[in-house]
Amino acid sequence: MNRLKKNITVRFFSIEAQDSFFSNFVTNFVANKESSLSSRIFNLRTKKHLIKLSEEHSASKTTAYTVTVVRERNTWQTKATRDGKISGVSLNQGIIGDPYFFFVIPSKRVLLGFTSGPSGSLKSVGKTMLEQFNNDRLEQIKLNLIPKEKEFYTLKELPEYSSLHFKINSSSLADISGDAPQLIKDLSSAPYIENNMQLSLDLELNSSSENPLSKDNVIEIVDYLSDHEGCTILKVKGVDNEGAPIHLDFGNAFLNYKTEINTRNKFIDEDTSIDVLRNALHEYLEIAN
Protein backbone atom coordinates (compact mmCIF):
# COMPACT_ATOMS: atom_id res chain seq x y z
CA MET A 1 0.00 0.00 0.00
CA ASN A 2 1.33 3.43 -0.93
CA ARG A 3 2.08 5.90 1.82
CA LEU A 4 -0.18 8.90 2.16
CA LYS A 5 1.17 12.34 3.02
CA LYS A 6 -0.91 14.24 5.59
CA ASN A 7 -0.37 17.87 6.55
CA ILE A 8 -0.92 18.58 10.24
CA THR A 9 -1.36 21.86 12.11
CA VAL A 10 -1.28 21.82 15.91
CA ARG A 11 -3.10 24.78 17.49
CA PHE A 12 -2.15 26.33 20.83
CA PHE A 13 -4.96 27.53 23.09
CA SER A 14 -4.91 29.29 26.43
CA ILE A 15 -7.38 27.87 28.96
CA GLU A 16 -9.48 30.31 30.99
CA ALA A 17 -10.89 28.60 34.09
CA GLN A 18 -10.98 28.84 37.88
CA ASP A 19 -7.72 27.99 39.67
CA SER A 20 -9.34 24.90 41.19
CA PHE A 21 -10.03 23.44 37.75
CA PHE A 22 -6.36 22.83 36.98
CA SER A 23 -5.57 20.96 40.20
CA ASN A 24 -8.83 19.04 39.93
CA PHE A 25 -8.01 18.14 36.32
CA VAL A 26 -4.86 16.27 37.35
CA THR A 27 -6.69 14.45 40.15
CA ASN A 28 -9.58 13.49 37.88
CA PHE A 29 -7.29 12.44 35.03
CA VAL A 30 -5.20 10.10 37.21
CA ALA A 31 -8.25 8.64 38.97
CA ASN A 32 -10.16 7.99 35.74
CA LYS A 33 -7.15 6.60 33.88
CA GLU A 34 -6.60 3.99 36.60
CA SER A 35 -10.27 2.97 36.58
CA SER A 36 -12.72 1.70 33.99
CA LEU A 37 -13.47 5.34 33.05
CA SER A 38 -10.26 5.80 31.03
CA SER A 39 -12.40 5.41 27.91
CA ARG A 40 -16.11 6.18 27.62
CA ILE A 41 -18.80 7.42 25.25
CA PHE A 42 -21.14 10.29 26.10
CA ASN A 43 -23.83 12.23 24.25
CA LEU A 44 -23.71 15.98 23.70
CA ARG A 45 -26.72 17.41 21.93
CA THR A 46 -26.97 15.48 18.63
CA LYS A 47 -23.49 13.91 18.57
CA LYS A 48 -21.79 11.10 20.42
CA HIS A 49 -18.25 11.57 21.68
CA LEU A 50 -15.69 9.01 22.75
CA ILE A 51 -13.08 10.32 25.19
CA LYS A 52 -9.94 8.31 25.95
CA LEU A 53 -7.25 9.15 28.52
CA SER A 54 -3.73 8.06 27.72
CA GLU A 55 -0.15 8.77 28.76
CA GLU A 56 1.52 11.58 30.66
CA HIS A 57 4.54 13.25 29.07
CA SER A 58 7.19 15.48 30.64
CA ALA A 59 9.42 18.06 28.99
CA SER A 60 11.46 20.77 30.72
CA LYS A 61 9.74 19.96 34.04
CA THR A 62 6.34 20.45 32.37
CA THR A 63 3.78 17.64 32.37
CA ALA A 64 1.27 17.17 29.54
CA TYR A 65 -1.73 14.84 29.76
CA THR A 66 -2.85 13.04 26.59
CA VAL A 67 -6.55 12.91 25.69
CA THR A 68 -8.02 11.55 22.45
CA VAL A 69 -11.58 12.37 21.38
CA VAL A 70 -13.61 10.88 18.54
CA ARG A 71 -16.64 12.97 17.61
CA GLU A 72 -19.43 11.30 15.71
CA ARG A 73 -20.00 12.49 12.17
CA ASN A 74 -23.68 12.31 11.37
CA THR A 75 -23.24 12.96 7.65
CA TRP A 76 -22.43 9.28 7.02
CA GLN A 77 -25.96 7.98 6.53
CA THR A 78 -25.64 4.96 4.23
CA LYS A 79 -23.34 2.14 3.18
CA ALA A 80 -23.15 1.16 -0.49
CA THR A 81 -21.61 -2.10 -1.77
CA ARG A 82 -20.40 -3.09 -5.23
CA ASP A 83 -23.51 -5.14 -5.95
CA GLY A 84 -25.60 -1.97 -5.69
CA LYS A 85 -27.03 -2.62 -2.24
CA ILE A 86 -27.60 0.55 -0.19
CA SER A 87 -28.24 0.24 3.52
CA GLY A 88 -27.92 2.23 6.71
CA VAL A 89 -24.76 2.15 8.82
CA SER A 90 -25.49 0.14 11.96
CA LEU A 91 -23.06 -0.34 14.82
CA ASN A 92 -23.49 -2.69 17.73
CA GLN A 93 -20.93 -0.71 19.69
CA GLY A 94 -18.88 2.41 19.15
CA ILE A 95 -19.22 5.37 16.81
CA ILE A 96 -17.93 6.53 13.42
CA GLY A 97 -16.37 9.96 13.39
CA ASP A 98 -13.32 12.21 13.36
CA PRO A 99 -10.36 11.94 15.78
CA TYR A 100 -9.09 14.87 17.86
CA PHE A 101 -5.78 14.67 19.72
CA PHE A 102 -4.91 16.87 22.71
CA PHE A 103 -2.16 17.62 25.23
CA VAL A 104 -3.51 19.35 28.35
CA ILE A 105 -0.83 21.28 30.26
CA PRO A 106 -2.36 22.43 33.57
CA SER A 107 0.80 24.14 34.87
CA LYS A 108 0.85 26.44 31.82
CA ARG A 109 -2.95 26.64 31.42
CA VAL A 110 -2.49 25.63 27.81
CA LEU A 111 -4.12 23.13 25.45
CA LEU A 112 -2.37 21.73 22.36
CA GLY A 113 -4.54 19.99 19.79
CA PHE A 114 -5.06 18.94 16.20
CA THR A 115 -7.52 16.96 14.10
CA SER A 116 -7.78 15.32 10.70
CA GLY A 117 -11.47 16.28 10.72
CA PRO A 118 -13.00 19.76 10.27
CA SER A 119 -10.39 22.19 11.60
CA GLY A 120 -13.00 24.74 12.61
CA SER A 121 -14.40 22.32 15.19
CA LEU A 122 -11.12 21.82 17.11
CA LYS A 123 -11.83 24.59 19.61
CA SER A 124 -15.37 23.44 20.43
CA VAL A 125 -14.32 19.78 20.81
CA GLY A 126 -11.40 20.81 23.05
CA LYS A 127 -13.79 22.81 25.23
CA THR A 128 -16.21 19.88 25.40
CA MET A 129 -13.38 17.58 26.45
CA LEU A 130 -12.17 19.90 29.22
CA GLU A 131 -15.70 20.28 30.56
CA GLN A 132 -15.75 16.55 31.34
CA PHE A 133 -13.12 17.27 34.02
CA ASN A 134 -14.91 20.28 35.47
CA ASN A 135 -16.30 19.59 38.97
CA ASP A 136 -18.22 22.87 39.05
CA ARG A 137 -20.51 22.97 36.01
CA LEU A 138 -21.58 26.52 36.90
CA GLU A 139 -18.06 27.74 36.08
CA GLN A 140 -17.42 28.12 32.36
CA ILE A 141 -14.24 27.13 30.57
CA LYS A 142 -13.00 29.26 27.68
CA LEU A 143 -10.37 28.56 25.04
CA ASN A 144 -8.51 31.28 23.16
CA LEU A 145 -5.92 30.96 20.44
CA ILE A 146 -2.53 32.23 21.60
CA PRO A 147 -1.49 35.16 19.39
CA LYS A 148 2.09 35.46 18.22
CA GLU A 149 1.71 38.95 16.84
CA LYS A 150 0.14 42.15 18.10
CA GLU A 151 -2.66 42.32 15.50
CA PHE A 152 -5.33 40.63 17.60
CA TYR A 153 -4.69 42.91 20.57
CA THR A 154 -4.83 45.91 18.24
CA LEU A 155 -8.14 44.70 16.80
CA LYS A 156 -9.81 44.77 20.22
CA GLU A 157 -8.47 48.25 20.94
CA LEU A 158 -9.65 49.89 17.70
CA PRO A 159 -12.63 52.20 18.30
CA GLU A 160 -14.01 51.67 14.78
CA TYR A 161 -13.80 49.15 11.95
CA SER A 162 -14.36 50.09 8.31
CA SER A 163 -14.21 46.74 6.47
CA LEU A 164 -13.74 42.99 6.83
CA HIS A 165 -12.34 40.98 3.93
CA PHE A 166 -11.89 37.21 3.76
CA LYS A 167 -11.65 34.34 1.29
CA ILE A 168 -12.75 30.81 2.13
CA ASN A 169 -13.46 27.62 0.17
CA SER A 170 -17.13 26.65 0.37
CA SER A 171 -16.29 22.96 0.88
CA SER A 172 -14.73 23.83 4.25
CA LEU A 173 -18.14 25.10 5.41
CA ALA A 174 -19.79 21.69 5.00
CA ASP A 175 -19.36 20.69 8.66
CA ILE A 176 -18.95 23.75 10.85
CA SER A 177 -18.92 23.69 14.64
CA GLY A 178 -21.91 24.66 16.75
CA ASP A 179 -20.18 27.75 18.14
CA ALA A 180 -19.47 29.23 14.70
CA PRO A 181 -20.45 32.91 14.19
CA GLN A 182 -23.89 33.50 12.70
CA LEU A 183 -22.42 34.89 9.46
CA ILE A 184 -20.50 31.63 8.91
CA LYS A 185 -23.60 29.56 9.69
CA ASP A 186 -25.57 31.62 7.15
CA LEU A 187 -22.92 31.01 4.47
CA SER A 188 -22.86 27.30 5.30
CA SER A 189 -26.62 26.96 4.78
CA ALA A 190 -26.95 29.28 1.77
CA PRO A 191 -28.64 27.31 -1.07
CA TYR A 192 -26.91 29.26 -3.86
CA ILE A 193 -23.37 28.33 -2.80
CA GLU A 194 -22.04 25.24 -4.57
CA ASN A 195 -19.37 22.86 -3.31
CA ASN A 196 -15.71 23.78 -3.85
CA MET A 197 -16.42 27.42 -4.67
CA GLN A 198 -13.89 30.09 -3.67
CA LEU A 199 -15.87 32.66 -1.71
CA SER A 200 -14.55 36.20 -1.43
CA LEU A 201 -16.40 38.60 0.87
CA ASP A 202 -15.67 42.28 1.36
CA LEU A 203 -17.98 43.71 4.03
CA GLU A 204 -18.31 47.40 4.76
CA LEU A 205 -18.52 47.98 8.51
CA ASN A 206 -19.93 51.44 9.09
CA SER A 207 -23.18 52.86 10.37
CA SER A 208 -24.50 53.39 6.84
CA SER A 209 -24.06 49.71 5.96
CA GLU A 210 -27.16 47.53 5.69
CA ASN A 211 -27.29 45.17 8.70
CA PRO A 212 -23.89 46.30 10.05
CA LEU A 213 -21.85 43.89 12.17
CA SER A 214 -21.08 44.90 15.74
CA LYS A 215 -17.55 45.08 17.10
CA ASP A 216 -18.10 41.83 19.01
CA ASN A 217 -19.37 40.19 15.80
CA VAL A 218 -16.18 41.14 13.95
CA ILE A 219 -13.93 39.88 16.75
CA GLU A 220 -15.90 36.62 16.86
CA ILE A 221 -15.57 36.12 13.07
CA VAL A 222 -11.83 36.90 13.07
CA ASP A 223 -11.28 34.58 16.03
CA TYR A 224 -13.11 31.77 14.21
CA LEU A 225 -11.67 32.21 10.71
CA SER A 226 -8.07 32.77 11.84
CA ASP A 227 -8.11 29.15 13.06
CA HIS A 228 -9.77 27.81 9.91
CA GLU A 229 -7.58 26.10 7.31
CA GLY A 230 -10.13 26.83 4.57
CA CYS A 231 -9.69 30.59 5.08
CA THR A 232 -6.80 31.87 2.93
CA ILE A 233 -7.19 35.64 3.39
CA LEU A 234 -8.44 37.49 6.48
CA LYS A 235 -8.03 41.26 6.79
CA VAL A 236 -9.66 44.06 8.76
CA LYS A 237 -9.47 47.81 8.15
CA GLY A 238 -10.24 50.40 10.78
CA VAL A 239 -9.13 53.63 12.39
CA ASP A 240 -7.19 54.21 15.59
CA ASN A 241 -7.98 56.66 18.39
CA GLU A 242 -6.44 59.51 16.38
CA GLY A 243 -8.47 58.72 13.25
CA ALA A 244 -5.53 57.24 11.33
CA PRO A 245 -6.30 54.22 9.08
CA ILE A 246 -5.16 50.79 10.31
CA HIS A 247 -4.77 47.63 8.17
CA LEU A 248 -4.60 44.30 10.03
CA ASP A 249 -3.72 40.96 8.44
CA PHE A 250 -4.72 37.84 10.38
CA GLY A 251 -3.48 35.29 7.88
CA ASN A 252 -0.84 34.01 10.30
CA ALA A 253 -1.40 35.77 13.60
CA PHE A 254 -1.55 32.85 16.04
CA LEU A 255 0.92 30.30 17.35
CA ASN A 256 0.84 26.90 15.67
CA TYR A 257 3.08 23.97 14.82
CA LYS A 258 3.02 22.61 11.26
CA THR A 259 4.40 19.28 10.10
CA GLU A 260 3.59 16.45 7.72
CA ILE A 261 3.56 12.69 8.18
CA ASN A 262 3.66 9.73 5.84
CA THR A 263 1.29 6.92 6.74
CA ARG A 264 -0.16 3.78 5.20
CA ASN A 265 -3.46 4.43 6.98
CA LYS A 266 -6.28 6.76 5.99
CA PHE A 267 -6.42 7.87 9.63
CA ILE A 268 -3.80 9.14 12.08
CA ASP A 269 -3.06 6.57 14.76
CA GLU A 270 -2.57 7.47 18.42
CA ASP A 271 1.17 6.72 18.53
CA THR A 272 1.78 9.08 15.61
CA SER A 273 -0.41 11.75 17.19
CA ILE A 274 1.60 11.59 20.42
CA ASP A 275 4.85 12.07 18.48
CA VAL A 276 3.37 15.13 16.74
CA LEU A 277 2.08 16.63 19.99
CA ARG A 278 5.37 15.95 21.77
CA ASN A 279 7.27 17.88 19.06
CA ALA A 280 4.71 20.69 19.22
CA LEU A 281 5.11 20.82 23.02
CA HIS A 282 8.89 21.23 22.74
CA GLU A 283 8.44 24.05 20.21
CA TYR A 284 5.88 25.79 22.43
CA LEU A 285 8.15 25.59 25.48
CA GLU A 286 11.02 27.11 23.49
CA ILE A 287 8.79 30.02 22.49
CA ALA A 288 7.25 30.49 25.94
CA ASN A 289 10.53 30.36 27.92
Side-chain angles (χ1 to χ4, degrees):
M1 182 184 295
N2 295 331
R3 288 183 174 271
L4 301 173
K5 181 181 293 185
K6 291 184 178 291
N7 295 318
I8 295 173
T9 301
V10 179
R11 311 288 181 179
F12 302 156
F13 298 92
S14 62
I15 305 172
E16 289 186 18
Q18 296 292 322
D19 292 344
S20 58
F21 168 79
F22 299 97
S23 57
N24 289 337
F25 174 89
V26 176
T27 302
N28 291 336
F29 183 97
V30 173
N32 289 329
K33 192 182 73 168
E34 294 176 352
S35 70
S36 60
L37 296 176
S38 61
S39 177
R40 62 187 179 90
I41 292 177
F42 63 93
N43 289 303
L44 181 65
R45 292 185 287 274
T46 61
K47 293 183 183 293
K48 292 181 179 179
H49 294 68
L50 178 139
I51 184 169
K52 179 180 179 182
L53 311 184
S54 189
E55 307 171 13
E56 302 169 23
H57 299 273
S58 295
S60 301
K61 299 181 180 180
T62 300
T63 302
Y65 298 84
T66 309
V67 184
T68 301
V69 178
V70 176
R71 187 183 71 153
E72 182 180 33
R73 181 178 286 202
N74 294 332
T75 52
W76 289 321
Q77 301 176 30
T78 60
K79 177 180 68 175
T81 55
R82 184 173 295 182
D83 60 3
K85 183 178 180 180
I86 300 175
S87 59
V89 178
S90 60
L91 297 174
N92 293 328
Q93 292 182 336
I95 61 177
I96 297 175
D98 300 308
Y100 297 77
F101 306 101
F102 298 102
F103 265 7
V104 184
I105 311 171
S107 63
K108 301 288 187 181
R109 303 191 176 205
V110 166
L111 176 71
L112 276 59
F114 74 95
T115 179
S116 56
S119 61
S121 60
L122 181 64
K123 181 177 179 180
S124 63
V125 173
K127 182 176 180 292
T128 296
M129 178 271 293
L130 291 175
E131 286 173 344
Q132 305 311 304
F133 297 90
N134 189 8
N135 292 342
D136 187 353
R137 295 307 174 94
L138 295 178
E139 295 293 341
Q140 290 193 346
I141 297 172
K142 295 183 180 179
L143 292 179
N144 296 296
L145 287 166
I146 300 177
K148 65 179 180 181
E149 298 175 358
K150 65 180 182 179
E151 275 84 350
F152 202 73
Y153 295 118
T154 304
L155 177 69
K156 292 183 176 181
E157 294 172 357
L158 290 181
E160 182 181 344
Y161 306 138
S162 57
S163 70
L164 168 66
H165 175 63
F166 64 88
K167 288 185 178 181
I168 190 168
N169 192 287
S170 61
S171 60
S172 65
L173 299 174
D175 186 15
I176 62 172
S177 59
D179 61 347
Q182 188 59 48
L183 174 65
I184 305 303
K185 291 180 179 178
D186 292 342
L187 288 175
S188 175
S189 60
Y192 51 82
I193 296 179
E194 298 179 0
N195 190 41
N196 204 29
M197 289 178 61
Q198 191 68 26
L199 305 178
S200 179
L201 282 83
D202 200 347
L203 306 176
E204 295 296 325
L205 306 175
N206 51 57
S207 57
S208 62
S209 302
E210 185 177 353
N211 299 321
L213 297 173
S214 69
K215 182 173 182 177
D216 288 342
N217 291 151
V218 175
I219 292 174
E220 183 186 27
I221 293 169
V222 171
D223 187 21
Y224 184 84
L225 291 180
S226 61
D227 184 36
H228 205 298
E229 291 183 355
C231 182
T232 55
I233 294 177
L234 180 58
K235 298 180 179 180
V236 176
K237 294 180 182 179
V239 294
D240 62 16
N241 291 317
E242 298 178 355
I246 296 289
H247 297 247
L248 302 176
D249 187 346
F250 295 91
N252 192 27
F254 295 91
L255 290 179
N256 59 61
Y257 170 78
K258 294 181 181 290
T259 187
E260 62 180 32
I261 61 171
N262 293 308
T263 178
R264 298 184 188 278
N265 301 316
K266 292 185 178 180
F267 65 96
I268 299 173
D269 61 84
E270 290 178 271
D271 289 339
T272 300
S273 71
I274 289 173
D275 288 338
V276 170
L277 288 171
R278 188 184 293 115
N279 291 334
L281 173 61
H282 283 286
E283 180 160 306
Y284 169 76
L285 292 175
E286 289 181 2
I287 296 172
N289 292 335

PDB file of all heavy atoms in Angstrom, residues 17-36:
ATOM      1  N   ALA A  17     -10.062  29.347  33.145  1.00  0.00           N
ATOM      2  CA  ALA A  17     -10.894  28.604  34.093  1.00  0.00           C
ATOM      3  C   ALA A  17     -10.490  28.993  35.502  1.00  0.00           C
ATOM      4  O   ALA A  17      -9.460  29.650  35.722  1.00  0.00           O
ATOM      5  CB  ALA A  17     -10.735  27.100  33.887  1.00  0.00           C
ATOM      6  N   GLN A  18     -11.308  28.595  36.476  1.00  0.00           N
ATOM      7  CA  GLN A  18     -10.984  28.835  37.876  1.00  0.00           C
ATOM      8  C   GLN A  18      -9.706  28.082  38.259  1.00  0.00           C
ATOM      9  O   GLN A  18      -9.391  27.037  37.688  1.00  0.00           O
ATOM     10  CB  GLN A  18     -12.140  28.378  38.770  1.00  0.00           C
ATOM     11  CG  GLN A  18     -13.429  29.151  38.566  1.00  0.00           C
ATOM     12  CD  GLN A  18     -13.312  30.599  39.033  1.00  0.00           C
ATOM     13  OE1 GLN A  18     -12.671  30.895  40.040  1.00  0.00           O
ATOM     14  NE2 GLN A  18     -13.924  31.508  38.289  1.00  0.00           N
ATOM     15  N   ASP A  19      -8.966  28.621  39.240  1.00  0.00           N
ATOM     16  CA  ASP A  19      -7.721  27.985  39.673  1.00  0.00           C
ATOM     17  C   ASP A  19      -7.946  26.525  40.078  1.00  0.00           C
ATOM     18  O   ASP A  19      -7.109  25.657  39.803  1.00  0.00           O
ATOM     19  CB  ASP A  19      -7.114  28.758  40.851  1.00  0.00           C
ATOM     20  CG  ASP A  19      -6.619  30.136  40.455  1.00  0.00           C
ATOM     21  OD1 ASP A  19      -6.466  30.377  39.237  1.00  0.00           O
ATOM     22  OD2 ASP A  19      -6.400  30.972  41.347  1.00  0.00           O
ATOM     23  N   SER A  20      -9.067  26.256  40.707  1.00  0.00           N
ATOM     24  CA  SER A  20      -9.340  24.903  41.190  1.00  0.00           C
ATOM     25  C   SER A  20      -9.467  23.896  40.053  1.00  0.00           C
ATOM     26  O   SER A  20      -9.216  22.700  40.245  1.00  0.00           O
ATOM     27  CB  SER A  20     -10.617  24.894  42.037  1.00  0.00           C
ATOM     28  OG  SER A  20     -11.723  25.368  41.282  1.00  0.00           O
ATOM     29  N   PHE A  21      -9.857  24.371  38.865  1.00  0.00           N
ATOM     30  CA  PHE A  21     -10.035  23.441  37.751  1.00  0.00           C
ATOM     31  C   PHE A  21      -8.742  22.706  37.420  1.00  0.00           C
ATOM     32  O   PHE A  21      -8.749  21.499  37.145  1.00  0.00           O
ATOM     33  CB  PHE A  21     -10.536  24.179  36.502  1.00  0.00           C
ATOM     34  CG  PHE A  21     -10.462  23.334  35.247  1.00  0.00           C
ATOM     35  CD1 PHE A  21     -11.422  22.379  34.988  1.00  0.00           C
ATOM     36  CD2 PHE A  21      -9.405  23.482  34.355  1.00  0.00           C
ATOM     37  CE1 PHE A  21     -11.347  21.587  33.835  1.00  0.00           C
ATOM     38  CE2 PHE A  21      -9.316  22.701  33.214  1.00  0.00           C
ATOM     39  CZ  PHE A  21     -10.295  21.759  32.951  1.00  0.00           C
ATOM     40  N   PHE A  22      -7.613  23.410  37.437  1.00  0.00           N
ATOM     41  CA  PHE A  22      -6.362  22.826  36.984  1.00  0.00           C
ATOM     42  C   PHE A  22      -5.841  21.765  37.943  1.00  0.00           C
ATOM     43  O   PHE A  22      -5.322  20.729  37.516  1.00  0.00           O
ATOM     44  CB  PHE A  22      -5.335  23.938  36.754  1.00  0.00           C
ATOM     45  CG  PHE A  22      -5.776  24.921  35.704  1.00  0.00           C
ATOM     46  CD1 PHE A  22      -6.393  26.114  36.053  1.00  0.00           C
ATOM     47  CD2 PHE A  22      -5.608  24.637  34.368  1.00  0.00           C
ATOM     48  CE1 PHE A  22      -6.831  27.011  35.087  1.00  0.00           C
ATOM     49  CE2 PHE A  22      -6.042  25.521  33.375  1.00  0.00           C
ATOM     50  CZ  PHE A  22      -6.652  26.704  33.741  1.00  0.00           C
ATOM     51  N   SER A  23      -5.981  21.999  39.241  1.00  0.00           N
ATOM     52  CA  SER A  23      -5.575  20.965  40.199  1.00  0.00           C
ATOM     53  C   SER A  23      -6.555  19.798  40.172  1.00  0.00           C
ATOM     54  O   SER A  23      -6.152  18.621  40.259  1.00  0.00           O
ATOM     55  CB  SER A  23      -5.493  21.559  41.614  1.00  0.00           C
ATOM     56  OG  SER A  23      -6.738  22.135  41.997  1.00  0.00           O
ATOM     57  N   ASN A  24      -7.836  20.099  40.015  1.00  0.00           N
ATOM     58  CA  ASN A  24      -8.834  19.036  39.927  1.00  0.00           C
ATOM     59  C   ASN A  24      -8.662  18.214  38.652  1.00  0.00           C
ATOM     60  O   ASN A  24      -8.945  17.007  38.643  1.00  0.00           O
ATOM     61  CB  ASN A  24     -10.246  19.615  39.962  1.00  0.00           C
ATOM     62  CG  ASN A  24     -10.624  20.162  41.327  1.00  0.00           C
ATOM     63  OD1 ASN A  24     -10.060  19.757  42.344  1.00  0.00           O
ATOM     64  ND2 ASN A  24     -11.566  21.090  41.350  1.00  0.00           N
ATOM     65  N   PHE A  25      -8.209  18.864  37.574  1.00  0.00           N
ATOM     66  CA  PHE A  25      -8.005  18.137  36.325  1.00  0.00           C
ATOM     67  C   PHE A  25      -7.021  16.994  36.517  1.00  0.00           C
ATOM     68  O   PHE A  25      -7.271  15.866  36.095  1.00  0.00           O
ATOM     69  CB  PHE A  25      -7.500  19.075  35.220  1.00  0.00           C
ATOM     70  CG  PHE A  25      -7.136  18.343  33.947  1.00  0.00           C
ATOM     71  CD1 PHE A  25      -8.102  18.117  32.979  1.00  0.00           C
ATOM     72  CD2 PHE A  25      -5.842  17.857  33.745  1.00  0.00           C
ATOM     73  CE1 PHE A  25      -7.785  17.418  31.818  1.00  0.00           C
ATOM     74  CE2 PHE A  25      -5.518  17.158  32.592  1.00  0.00           C
ATOM     75  CZ  PHE A  25      -6.493  16.943  31.628  1.00  0.00           C
ATOM     76  N   VAL A  26      -5.884  17.294  37.148  1.00  0.00           N
ATOM     77  CA  VAL A  26      -4.862  16.269  37.352  1.00  0.00           C
ATOM     78  C   VAL A  26      -5.414  15.126  38.200  1.00  0.00           C
ATOM     79  O   VAL A  26      -5.235  13.942  37.883  1.00  0.00           O
ATOM     80  CB  VAL A  26      -3.605  16.877  38.015  1.00  0.00           C
ATOM     81  CG1 VAL A  26      -2.581  15.793  38.312  1.00  0.00           C
ATOM     82  CG2 VAL A  26      -3.004  17.963  37.120  1.00  0.00           C
ATOM     83  N   THR A  27      -6.110  15.475  39.277  1.00  0.00           N
ATOM     84  CA  THR A  27      -6.693  14.448  40.150  1.00  0.00           C
ATOM     85  C   THR A  27      -7.686  13.580  39.397  1.00  0.00           C
ATOM     86  O   THR A  27      -7.658  12.345  39.484  1.00  0.00           O
ATOM     87  CB  THR A  27      -7.375  15.106  41.358  1.00  0.00           C
ATOM     88  OG1 THR A  27      -6.429  15.899  42.072  1.00  0.00           O
ATOM     89  CG2 THR A  27      -7.958  14.058  42.286  1.00  0.00           C
ATOM     90  N   ASN A  28      -8.575  14.221  38.631  1.00  0.00           N
ATOM     91  CA  ASN A  28      -9.584  13.486  37.876  1.00  0.00           C
ATOM     92  C   ASN A  28      -8.966  12.638  36.777  1.00  0.00           C
ATOM     93  O   ASN A  28      -9.406  11.503  36.523  1.00  0.00           O
ATOM     94  CB  ASN A  28     -10.605  14.454  37.264  1.00  0.00           C
ATOM     95  CG  ASN A  28     -11.481  15.122  38.302  1.00  0.00           C
ATOM     96  OD1 ASN A  28     -11.674  14.590  39.398  1.00  0.00           O
ATOM     97  ND2 ASN A  28     -12.011  16.288  37.979  1.00  0.00           N
ATOM     98  N   PHE A  29      -7.947  13.174  36.112  1.00  0.00           N
ATOM     99  CA  PHE A  29      -7.286  12.436  35.031  1.00  0.00           C
ATOM    100  C   PHE A  29      -6.669  11.151  35.566  1.00  0.00           C
ATOM    101  O   PHE A  29      -6.885  10.066  35.017  1.00  0.00           O
ATOM    102  CB  PHE A  29      -6.207  13.311  34.380  1.00  0.00           C
ATOM    103  CG  PHE A  29      -5.522  12.668  33.196  1.00  0.00           C
ATOM    104  CD1 PHE A  29      -5.946  12.958  31.903  1.00  0.00           C
ATOM    105  CD2 PHE A  29      -4.465  11.780  33.358  1.00  0.00           C
ATOM    106  CE1 PHE A  29      -5.329  12.372  30.809  1.00  0.00           C
ATOM    107  CE2 PHE A  29      -3.844  11.193  32.274  1.00  0.00           C
ATOM    108  CZ  PHE A  29      -4.279  11.490  30.995  1.00  0.00           C
ATOM    109  N   VAL A  30      -5.890  11.273  36.638  1.00  0.00           N
ATOM    110  CA  VAL A  30      -5.202  10.103  37.207  1.00  0.00           C
ATOM    111  C   VAL A  30      -6.213   9.077  37.717  1.00  0.00           C
ATOM    112  O   VAL A  30      -6.086   7.869  37.468  1.00  0.00           O
ATOM    113  CB  VAL A  30      -4.248  10.538  38.333  1.00  0.00           C
ATOM    114  CG1 VAL A  30      -3.661   9.318  39.042  1.00  0.00           C
ATOM    115  CG2 VAL A  30      -3.134  11.414  37.766  1.00  0.00           C
ATOM    116  N   ALA A  31      -7.248   9.556  38.410  1.00  0.00           N
ATOM    117  CA  ALA A  31      -8.250   8.638  38.966  1.00  0.00           C
ATOM    118  C   ALA A  31      -9.008   7.898  37.872  1.00  0.00           C
ATOM    119  O   ALA A  31      -9.228   6.681  37.951  1.00  0.00           O
ATOM    120  CB  ALA A  31      -9.217   9.397  39.866  1.00  0.00           C
ATOM    121  N   ASN A  32      -9.403   8.615  36.825  1.00  0.00           N
ATOM    122  CA  ASN A  32     -10.165   7.991  35.743  1.00  0.00           C
ATOM    123  C   ASN A  32      -9.307   7.067  34.888  1.00  0.00           C
ATOM    124  O   ASN A  32      -9.783   6.032  34.413  1.00  0.00           O
ATOM    125  CB  ASN A  32     -10.807   9.053  34.858  1.00  0.00           C
ATOM    126  CG  ASN A  32     -11.955   9.765  35.536  1.00  0.00           C
ATOM    127  OD1 ASN A  32     -12.645   9.192  36.360  1.00  0.00           O
ATOM    128  ND2 ASN A  32     -12.151  11.030  35.197  1.00  0.00           N
ATOM    129  N   LYS A  33      -8.030   7.438  34.701  1.00  0.00           N
ATOM    130  CA  LYS A  33      -7.150   6.598  33.885  1.00  0.00           C
ATOM    131  C   LYS A  33      -6.911   5.247  34.543  1.00  0.00           C
ATOM    132  O   LYS A  33      -6.764   4.226  33.866  1.00  0.00           O
ATOM    133  CB  LYS A  33      -5.814   7.305  33.643  1.00  0.00           C
ATOM    134  CG  LYS A  33      -4.964   6.636  32.572  1.00  0.00           C
ATOM    135  CD  LYS A  33      -3.627   7.320  32.385  1.00  0.00           C
ATOM    136  CE  LYS A  33      -2.714   7.035  33.550  1.00  0.00           C
ATOM    137  NZ  LYS A  33      -1.310   7.452  33.284  1.00  0.00           N
ATOM    138  N   GLU A  34      -6.871   5.232  35.865  1.00  0.00           N
ATOM    139  CA  GLU A  34      -6.601   3.993  36.595  1.00  0.00           C
ATOM    140  C   GLU A  34      -7.866   3.178  36.840  1.00  0.00           C
ATOM    141  O   GLU A  34      -7.805   2.102  37.429  1.00  0.00           O
ATOM    142  CB  GLU A  34      -5.930   4.321  37.931  1.00  0.00           C
ATOM    143  CG  GLU A  34      -4.536   4.927  37.762  1.00  0.00           C
ATOM    144  CD  GLU A  34      -3.912   5.338  39.084  1.00  0.00           C
ATOM    145  OE1 GLU A  34      -4.635   5.297  40.107  1.00  0.00           O
ATOM    146  OE2 GLU A  34      -2.728   5.703  39.083  1.00  0.00           O
ATOM    147  N   SER A  35      -9.011   3.689  36.387  1.00  0.00           N
ATOM    148  CA  SER A  35     -10.265   2.969  36.575  1.00  0.00           C
ATOM    149  C   SER A  35     -10.842   2.599  35.216  1.00  0.00           C
ATOM    150  O   SER A  35     -10.216   2.766  34.177  1.00  0.00           O
ATOM    151  CB  SER A  35     -11.269   3.838  37.348  1.00  0.00           C
ATOM    152  OG  SER A  35     -11.709   4.920  36.531  1.00  0.00           O
ATOM    153  N   SER A  36     -12.047   2.090  35.230  1.00  0.00           N
ATOM    154  CA  SER A  36     -12.718   1.703  33.991  1.00  0.00           C
ATOM    155  C   SER A  36     -13.193   2.908  33.186  1.00  0.00           C
ATOM    156  O   SER A  36     -13.730   2.755  32.085  1.00  0.00           O
ATOM    157  CB  SER A  36     -13.920   0.803  34.316  1.00  0.00           C
ATOM    158  OG  SER A  36     -14.839   1.488  35.152  1.00  0.00           O
TER     159      SER A  36
END
